[in-house]
Amino acid sequence: MAPQAHYNTVRAAFEAFRQSEPEPKGELDHVNAYTLLVAVALSAQATDVGVNRATRALFATVDTPQKMLDLGEEGLIGHIKTIGLFRNKAKNVIKLSRILVEEYGGEVPSSRAALQSLPGVGRKTANVVLNMWWRIPAQAVDTHIFRVGNRTGLCPGRDVDAVERAIEDNIPAEYQLHAHHWMILHGRYICKARKPDCGRCIIRDYCAFEEKTA
């Protein structure tokens, strides 16, 4: 784990991210807050590409909690059986859809506590929904962000909660909204786990990783 980088280094790195991609986008397909919530819940231990493939036809007709209840658990399984842990995920999606209908008027709540009270929705899922739909600077720390934060020194921490706090504490406010998307995409395509592509890295000059590749 690299030591926490100085403010000026962190700022320069995130300015480089912003210059390269001013409005980074998440890669999960969705049409509204509800389908975003479902997509993120389905994405645990699965790839965004795999989730998008499974939900393309689903979201074309099922885009509200009530429509999901009408489809039913077995109908949902028919769409998502290519995704890992699909049976458990289907149960949770049906349960959370019922709660949304009965307790929230069919709408997705916009607080972290309310989101996390839903079956299958943890802090990371809640933060993704808050960030992508309501544009709240919530930080959803996944394996990519954990790796990038620790490898570069931009926001190191011993666990995901510590990295989330490091992002909030050390990244300048003007970069907070898009911070987790910049790092996810950077970790997914450049700062990869086994063989980071340092030769194409736009923040190479600000990175504390000592074993840079050519």
PDB file of all heavy atoms in Angstrom, residues 103-123:
ATOM      1  N   GLU A 103     -43.956   0.396   0.288  1.00  0.00           N
ATOM      2  CA  GLU A 103     -43.488   1.399   1.242  1.00  0.00           C
ATOM      3  C   GLU A 103     -43.042   2.720   0.618  1.00  0.00           C
ATOM      4  O   GLU A 103     -42.984   3.732   1.317  1.00  0.00           O
ATOM      5  CB  GLU A 103     -42.323   0.819   2.066  1.00  0.00           C
ATOM      6  CG  GLU A 103     -42.710  -0.392   2.899  1.00  0.00           C
ATOM      7  CD  GLU A 103     -41.570  -0.867   3.777  1.00  0.00           C
ATOM      8  OE1 GLU A 103     -40.643  -0.060   4.052  1.00  0.00           O
ATOM      9  OE2 GLU A 103     -41.594  -2.052   4.189  1.00  0.00           O
ATOM     10  N   TYR A 104     -42.729   2.706  -0.682  1.00  0.00           N
ATOM     11  CA  TYR A 104     -42.182   3.915  -1.309  1.00  0.00           C
ATOM     12  C   TYR A 104     -42.967   4.383  -2.529  1.00  0.00           C
ATOM     13  O   TYR A 104     -42.455   5.168  -3.323  1.00  0.00           O
ATOM     14  CB  TYR A 104     -40.718   3.682  -1.691  1.00  0.00           C
ATOM     15  CG  TYR A 104     -39.816   3.424  -0.509  1.00  0.00           C
ATOM     16  CD1 TYR A 104     -39.483   2.120  -0.133  1.00  0.00           C
ATOM     17  CD2 TYR A 104     -39.294   4.476   0.256  1.00  0.00           C
ATOM     18  CE1 TYR A 104     -38.664   1.865   0.963  1.00  0.00           C
ATOM     19  CE2 TYR A 104     -38.475   4.234   1.348  1.00  0.00           C
ATOM     20  CZ  TYR A 104     -38.167   2.930   1.695  1.00  0.00           C
ATOM     21  OH  TYR A 104     -37.351   2.688   2.774  1.00  0.00           O
ATOM     22  N   GLY A 105     -44.175   3.902  -2.654  1.00  0.00           N
ATOM     23  CA  GLY A 105     -45.010   4.346  -3.761  1.00  0.00           C
ATOM     24  C   GLY A 105     -44.455   3.998  -5.127  1.00  0.00           C
ATOM     25  O   GLY A 105     -44.743   4.663  -6.116  1.00  0.00           O
ATOM     26  N   GLY A 106     -43.656   2.940  -5.180  1.00  0.00           N
ATOM     27  CA  GLY A 106     -43.101   2.507  -6.453  1.00  0.00           C
ATOM     28  C   GLY A 106     -41.878   3.283  -6.894  1.00  0.00           C
ATOM     29  O   GLY A 106     -41.377   3.058  -7.998  1.00  0.00           O
ATOM     30  N   GLU A 107     -41.403   4.187  -6.031  1.00  0.00           N
ATOM     31  CA  GLU A 107     -40.241   5.007  -6.373  1.00  0.00           C
ATOM     32  C   GLU A 107     -38.998   4.514  -5.625  1.00  0.00           C
ATOM     33  O   GLU A 107     -39.093   3.973  -4.523  1.00  0.00           O
ATOM     34  CB  GLU A 107     -40.494   6.476  -6.007  1.00  0.00           C
ATOM     35  CG  GLU A 107     -41.687   7.104  -6.715  1.00  0.00           C
ATOM     36  CD  GLU A 107     -41.471   7.220  -8.204  1.00  0.00           C
ATOM     37  OE1 GLU A 107     -40.312   7.452  -8.618  1.00  0.00           O
ATOM     38  OE2 GLU A 107     -42.460   7.078  -8.959  1.00  0.00           O
ATOM     39  N   VAL A 108     -37.837   4.747  -6.215  1.00  0.00           N
ATOM     40  CA  VAL A 108     -36.580   4.392  -5.563  1.00  0.00           C
ATOM     41  C   VAL A 108     -36.213   5.519  -4.599  1.00  0.00           C
ATOM     42  O   VAL A 108     -36.137   6.678  -4.999  1.00  0.00           O
ATOM     43  CB  VAL A 108     -35.451   4.200  -6.598  1.00  0.00           C
ATOM     44  CG1 VAL A 108     -34.111   3.934  -5.898  1.00  0.00           C
ATOM     45  CG2 VAL A 108     -35.796   3.059  -7.549  1.00  0.00           C
ATOM     46  N   PRO A 109     -35.995   5.210  -3.329  1.00  0.00           N
ATOM     47  CA  PRO A 109     -35.653   6.260  -2.362  1.00  0.00           C
ATOM     48  C   PRO A 109     -34.268   6.837  -2.640  1.00  0.00           C
ATOM     49  O   PRO A 109     -33.412   6.170  -3.226  1.00  0.00           O
ATOM     50  CB  PRO A 109     -35.689   5.528  -1.012  1.00  0.00           C
ATOM     51  CG  PRO A 109     -35.390   4.099  -1.354  1.00  0.00           C
ATOM     52  CD  PRO A 109     -36.039   3.868  -2.694  1.00  0.00           C
ATOM     53  N   SER A 110     -34.065   8.071  -2.195  1.00  0.00           N
ATOM     54  CA  SER A 110     -32.811   8.762  -2.513  1.00  0.00           C
ATOM     55  C   SER A 110     -31.922   8.983  -1.298  1.00  0.00           C
ATOM     56  O   SER A 110     -31.100   9.893  -1.285  1.00  0.00           O
ATOM     57  CB  SER A 110     -33.108  10.107  -3.187  1.00  0.00           C
ATOM     58  OG  SER A 110     -33.908  10.923  -2.344  1.00  0.00           O
ATOM     59  N   SER A 111     -32.066   8.150  -0.271  1.00  0.00           N
ATOM     60  CA  SER A 111     -31.138   8.206   0.852  1.00  0.00           C
ATOM     61  C   SER A 111     -30.386   6.887   0.946  1.00  0.00           C
ATOM     62  O   SER A 111     -30.932   5.827   0.611  1.00  0.00           O
ATOM     63  CB  SER A 111     -31.856   8.491   2.175  1.00  0.00           C
ATOM     64  OG  SER A 111     -32.437   7.324   2.706  1.00  0.00           O
ATOM     65  N   ARG A 112     -29.159   6.949   1.417  1.00  0.00           N
ATOM     66  CA  ARG A 112     -28.353   5.737   1.532  1.00  0.00           C
ATOM     67  C   ARG A 112     -28.985   4.752   2.511  1.00  0.00           C
ATOM     68  O   ARG A 112     -29.020   3.545   2.250  1.00  0.00           O
ATOM     69  CB  ARG A 112     -26.931   6.081   1.964  1.00  0.00           C
ATOM     70  CG  ARG A 112     -25.996   4.860   2.011  1.00  0.00           C
ATOM     71  CD  ARG A 112     -24.604   5.225   2.504  1.00  0.00           C
ATOM     72  NE  ARG A 112     -23.862   5.973   1.514  1.00  0.00           N
ATOM     73  CZ  ARG A 112     -23.464   7.237   1.659  1.00  0.00           C
ATOM     74  NH1 ARG A 112     -23.762   7.888   2.779  1.00  0.00           N
ATOM     75  NH2 ARG A 112     -22.783   7.850   0.724  1.00  0.00           N
ATOM     76  N   ALA A 113     -29.485   5.251   3.625  1.00  0.00           N
ATOM     77  CA  ALA A 113     -30.079   4.369   4.624  1.00  0.00           C
ATOM     78  C   ALA A 113     -31.287   3.625   4.061  1.00  0.00           C
ATOM     79  O   ALA A 113     -31.442   2.416   4.272  1.00  0.00           O
ATOM     80  CB  ALA A 113     -30.472   5.165   5.864  1.00  0.00           C
ATOM     81  N   ALA A 114     -32.139   4.333   3.357  1.00  0.00           N
ATOM     82  CA  ALA A 114     -33.323   3.689   2.776  1.00  0.00           C
ATOM     83  C   ALA A 114     -32.933   2.672   1.715  1.00  0.00           C
ATOM     84  O   ALA A 114     -33.482   1.568   1.648  1.00  0.00           O
ATOM     85  CB  ALA A 114     -34.257   4.745   2.191  1.00  0.00           C
ATOM     86  N   LEU A 115     -31.967   3.024   0.892  1.00  0.00           N
ATOM     87  CA  LEU A 115     -31.507   2.096  -0.141  1.00  0.00           C
ATOM     88  C   LEU A 115     -30.918   0.837   0.488  1.00  0.00           C
ATOM     89  O   LEU A 115     -31.211  -0.282   0.071  1.00  0.00           O
ATOM     90  CB  LEU A 115     -30.477   2.772  -1.044  1.00  0.00           C
ATOM     91  CG  LEU A 115     -31.025   3.789  -2.045  1.00  0.00           C
ATOM     92  CD1 LEU A 115     -29.897   4.618  -2.646  1.00  0.00           C
ATOM     93  CD2 LEU A 115     -31.811   3.093  -3.150  1.00  0.00           C
ATOM     94  N   GLN A 116     -30.084   1.025   1.510  1.00  0.00           N
ATOM     95  CA  GLN A 116     -29.443  -0.125   2.143  1.00  0.00           C
ATOM     96  C   GLN A 116     -30.407  -1.006   2.928  1.00  0.00           C
ATOM     97  O   GLN A 116     -30.067  -2.137   3.272  1.00  0.00           O
ATOM     98  CB  GLN A 116     -28.305   0.336   3.051  1.00  0.00           C
ATOM     99  CG  GLN A 116     -27.073   0.801   2.293  1.00  0.00           C
ATOM    100  CD  GLN A 116     -25.884   1.022   3.219  1.00  0.00           C
ATOM    101  OE1 GLN A 116     -25.422   2.138   3.393  1.00  0.00           O
ATOM    102  NE2 GLN A 116     -25.380  -0.045   3.815  1.00  0.00           N
ATOM    103  N   SER A 117     -31.593  -0.505   3.198  1.00  0.00           N
ATOM    104  CA  SER A 117     -32.590  -1.328   3.880  1.00  0.00           C
ATOM    105  C   SER A 117     -33.246  -2.325   2.930  1.00  0.00           C
ATOM    106  O   SER A 117     -33.938  -3.243   3.377  1.00  0.00           O
ATOM    107  CB  SER A 117     -33.673  -0.440   4.502  1.00  0.00           C
ATOM    108  OG  SER A 117     -34.527   0.109   3.505  1.00  0.00           O
ATOM    109  N   LEU A 118     -33.007  -2.172   1.623  1.00  0.00           N
ATOM    110  CA  LEU A 118     -33.611  -3.057   0.633  1.00  0.00           C
ATOM    111  C   LEU A 118     -32.810  -4.352   0.516  1.00  0.00           C
ATOM    112  O   LEU A 118     -31.586  -4.344   0.630  1.00  0.00           O
ATOM    113  CB  LEU A 118     -33.662  -2.360  -0.730  1.00  0.00           C
ATOM    114  CG  LEU A 118     -34.488  -1.077  -0.801  1.00  0.00           C
ATOM    115  CD1 LEU A 118     -34.275  -0.391  -2.149  1.00  0.00           C
ATOM    116  CD2 LEU A 118     -35.963  -1.364  -0.573  1.00  0.00           C
ATOM    117  N   PRO A 119     -33.475  -5.482   0.297  1.00  0.00           N
ATOM    118  CA  PRO A 119     -32.777  -6.771   0.165  1.00  0.00           C
ATOM    119  C   PRO A 119     -31.746  -6.743  -0.961  1.00  0.00           C
ATOM    120  O   PRO A 119     -32.032  -6.287  -2.073  1.00  0.00           O
ATOM    121  CB  PRO A 119     -33.909  -7.752  -0.158  1.00  0.00           C
ATOM    122  CG  PRO A 119     -35.140  -7.106   0.397  1.00  0.00           C
ATOM    123  CD  PRO A 119     -34.939  -5.634   0.197  1.00  0.00           C
ATOM    124  N   GLY A 120     -30.529  -7.210  -0.665  1.00  0.00           N
ATOM    125  CA  GLY A 120     -29.491  -7.300  -1.685  1.00  0.00           C
ATOM    126  C   GLY A 120     -28.804  -5.996  -2.026  1.00  0.00           C
ATOM    127  O   GLY A 120     -27.998  -5.956  -2.960  1.00  0.00           O
ATOM    128  N   VAL A 121     -29.110  -4.940  -1.279  1.00  0.00           N
ATOM    129  CA  VAL A 121     -28.509  -3.629  -1.558  1.00  0.00           C
ATOM    130  C   VAL A 121     -27.561  -3.266  -0.419  1.00  0.00           C
ATOM    131  O   VAL A 121     -27.991  -2.974   0.694  1.00  0.00           O
ATOM    132  CB  VAL A 121     -29.579  -2.532  -1.724  1.00  0.00           C
ATOM    133  CG1 VAL A 121     -28.923  -1.185  -1.968  1.00  0.00           C
ATOM    134  CG2 VAL A 121     -30.526  -2.891  -2.865  1.00  0.00           C
ATOM    135  N   GLY A 122     -26.279  -3.289  -0.710  1.00  0.00           N
ATOM    136  CA  GLY A 122     -25.272  -2.886   0.263  1.00  0.00           C
ATOM    137  C   GLY A 122     -24.840  -1.457   0.032  1.00  0.00           C
ATOM    138  O   GLY A 122     -25.390  -0.749  -0.822  1.00  0.00           O
ATOM    139  N   ARG A 123     -23.838  -1.036   0.761  1.00  0.00           N
ATOM    140  CA  ARG A 123     -23.374   0.349   0.678  1.00  0.00           C
ATOM    141  C   ARG A 123     -22.855   0.685  -0.723  1.00  0.00           C
ATOM    142  O   ARG A 123     -23.126   1.761  -1.241  1.00  0.00           O
ATOM    143  CB  ARG A 123     -22.281   0.600   1.721  1.00  0.00           C
ATOM    144  CG  ARG A 123     -21.845   2.059   1.792  1.00  0.00           C
ATOM    145  CD  ARG A 123     -20.800   2.294   2.866  1.00  0.00           C
ATOM    146  NE  ARG A 123     -20.397   3.691   2.923  1.00  0.00           N
ATOM    147  CZ  ARG A 123     -20.985   4.622   3.665  1.00  0.00           C
ATOM    148  NH1 ARG A 123     -22.032   4.294   4.412  1.00  0.00           N
ATOM    149  NH2 ARG A 123     -20.553   5.867   3.666  1.00  0.00           N
TER     150      ARG A 123
END
